[in-house]
Amino acid sequence: MSLSELARAGLIELSEDAVLSTSGQLDSDCLNGFLRGAANHRRSTSASGTFRLDARGARVPQMRIAEQRRYGAAFRTPAAFEESVRELTELSGRAAALARDGLTGGALLPPPEPDGGGPADHR
């Protein structure tokens, strides 16, 4: 079934990057997981690599709500992992910038050389 058909039936709400079920008949995590699958993701990814939901061509398999919930629970694991990686990437970038600022601003000194020489020995 296509997303546009589900939206016309009032069963889902669409945003640029996600689908929200408005019905007890559909599991949002299951829908979003299948939408990020290879076939739908290729259709919804721009040349710059940005994901933007394309409701016209995106399709999801039909299954009972119990099966959707099983898939939804399974899809939450990689989604949580991706979010953790995004957060870690952001934090590591901020930490590196702070370290550079500390070194260039004088708040941090480079570590001593292994032979015991310090920054003053670099002439």
Side-chain angles (χ1 to χ4, degrees):
M1 182 167 259
S2 74
L3 287 184
S4 55
E5 291 170 322
L6 294 172
R8 277 194 300 275
L11 298 173
I12 60 169
E13 290 180 2
L14 301 168
S15 72
E16 286 187 12
D17 61 349
V19 174
L20 178 64
S21 171
T22 59
S23 162
Q25 301 172 42
L26 298 169
D27 183 273
S28 295
D29 293 318
C30 178
L31 291 171
N32 286 299
F34 276 104
L35 291 176
R36 282 168 177 72
N40 283 319
H41 202 273
R42 276 192 300 274
R43 268 189 226 119
S44 300
T45 302
S46 70
S48 67
T50 303
F51 179 82
R52 183 179 170 134
L53 189 59
D54 179 9
R56 293 168 301 180
R59 298 192 63 79
V60 293
Q62 292 181 358
M63 59 182 77
R64 297 184 189 280
I65 188 63
E67 190 73 2
Q68 289 180 48
R69 289 186 179 127
R70 282 185 52 222
Y71 271 94
F75 282 133
R76 282 192 293 276
T77 300
F81 175 72
E82 287 174 324
E83 181 59 27
S84 294
V85 168
R86 270 193 294 278
E87 289 174 7
L88 181 59
T89 299
E90 180 184 324
L91 289 172
S92 62
R94 288 178 26 204
L98 286 171
R100 277 190 299 276
D101 290 348
L103 287 164
T104 59
L108 295 174
L109 296 174
E113 293 182 15
D115 65 359
D121 294 338
H122 294 256
R123 296 178 222 257

